[in-house]
């Protein structure tokens, strides 16, 4: 925001300097508004043009571009206005040098004068203002980033253990899986294979005899002795 305000002020100052320059002397006591725009393409003449077809015309157009660029916060439009001012000023200097044989800077006013300085300074201020401006904020990308879920931690690499939760402490965490730990199986009694929990042998009692106590099994009769 501050950059846009500062850049806009610098660009507007450059536009004001460029618009003011045609009303001041450019070369040998001749004002910028006394040069026709078409003289820049066909050669400098002594014809007196109207104000709307003089050097004031491109500078007014550049000032309007600066205003549009400031309103839209467009750096490209402001920079384009600065290039227009510098381009027309440099083209005029080339044509004036061809007409006069050379361009000189003299203290008696017979050479380049303050109007040219105002035009060049105005174009440079426009470019500086465009560089200072931050431009329009890209709301589309910002809103898209806000809608996307942000992962607080990056995924571990293939050579690292997938620990959860992530911790800044050295070493592996207690839990090594994102899923809950399995519950312990319910108690099913002592282990029969564990000698510490194996039951001691019990004494056999008659009531523990699995045979029928009412009808005990009969023993087979003894075999008769053999006579020899």
């Amino acid at each position: 925001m501050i950059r846009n305000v500062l850049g806009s002020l610098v660009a507007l100052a450059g536009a004001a300097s460029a618009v003011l320059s045609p009303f001041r002397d450019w070369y040998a006591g001749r004002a910028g508004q006394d040069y026709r725009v078409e003289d820049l393409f066909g050669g400098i003449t002594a014809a007196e043009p109207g104000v709307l077809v003089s050097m004031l015309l491109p500078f007014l157009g550049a000032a309007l571009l600066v205003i549009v660029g400031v309103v839209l916060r467009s750096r490209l439009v402001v920079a384009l206005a600065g290039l227009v001012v510098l381009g027309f000023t440099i083209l005029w200097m080339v044509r004036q040098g061809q007409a006069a044989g050379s361009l000189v800077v003299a203290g008696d006013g017979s050479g380049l004068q303050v109007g040219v300085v105002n035009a060049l300074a105005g174009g440079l201020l426009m470019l500086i203002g465009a560089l200072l401006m931050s431009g329009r904020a890209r709301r589309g990308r910002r809103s898209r980033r806000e809608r996307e879920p942000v992962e607080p931690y990056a995924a571990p690499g293939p050579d690292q253990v997938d620990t959860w939760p992530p911790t800044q402490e050295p070493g592996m965490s207690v839990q090594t899986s994102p899923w809950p730990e399995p519950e312990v199986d319910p108690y099913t009694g002592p282990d029969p294979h564990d000698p510490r929990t194996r039951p001691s042998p019990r004494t056999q009692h008659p009531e523990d005899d699995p045979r029928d106590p009412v009808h005990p099994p009969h023993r087979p009769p003894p075999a008769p002795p053999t006579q020899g």
Side-chain angles (χ1 to χ4, degrees), residues 106-195:
D108 56 358
S110 59
L112 294 174
Q113 293 183 299
V114 68
V116 181
V117 177
N118 288 141
L120 293 175
L124 291 176
L125 287 176
M126 294 179 192
L127 293 180
I128 294 174
L131 293 176
L132 291 176
M133 294 174 63
S134 59
R136 301 180 63 180
R138 299 180 180 179
R139 298 180 180 178
R141 293 186 177 180
R142 182 177 299 177
S143 60
R144 186 181 305 173
R145 291 178 181 176
E146 292 176 356
R147 289 194 301 266
E148 292 178 355
V150 180
E151 296 183 1
Y153 302 100
D159 56 341
Q160 299 180 359
V161 180
D162 186 9
T163 59
W164 189 268
T167 176
Q168 300 296 332
E169 298 296 333
M172 297 175 56
S173 63
V174 177
Q175 189 173 348
T176 60
S177 174
W179 306 104
E181 291 184 354
E183 297 182 358
V184 181
D185 294 337
Y187 179 74
T188 57
D191 187 3
H193 301 287
D194 190 354

Side-chain angles (χ1 to χ4, degrees), residues 81-100:
L83 293 177
V84 168
V85 173
L86 291 177
F88 275 90
T89 304
I90 294 174
L91 183 58
W92 173 88
M93 294 175 66
V94 172
R95 292 301 185 185
Q96 182 62 40
Q98 293 175 350

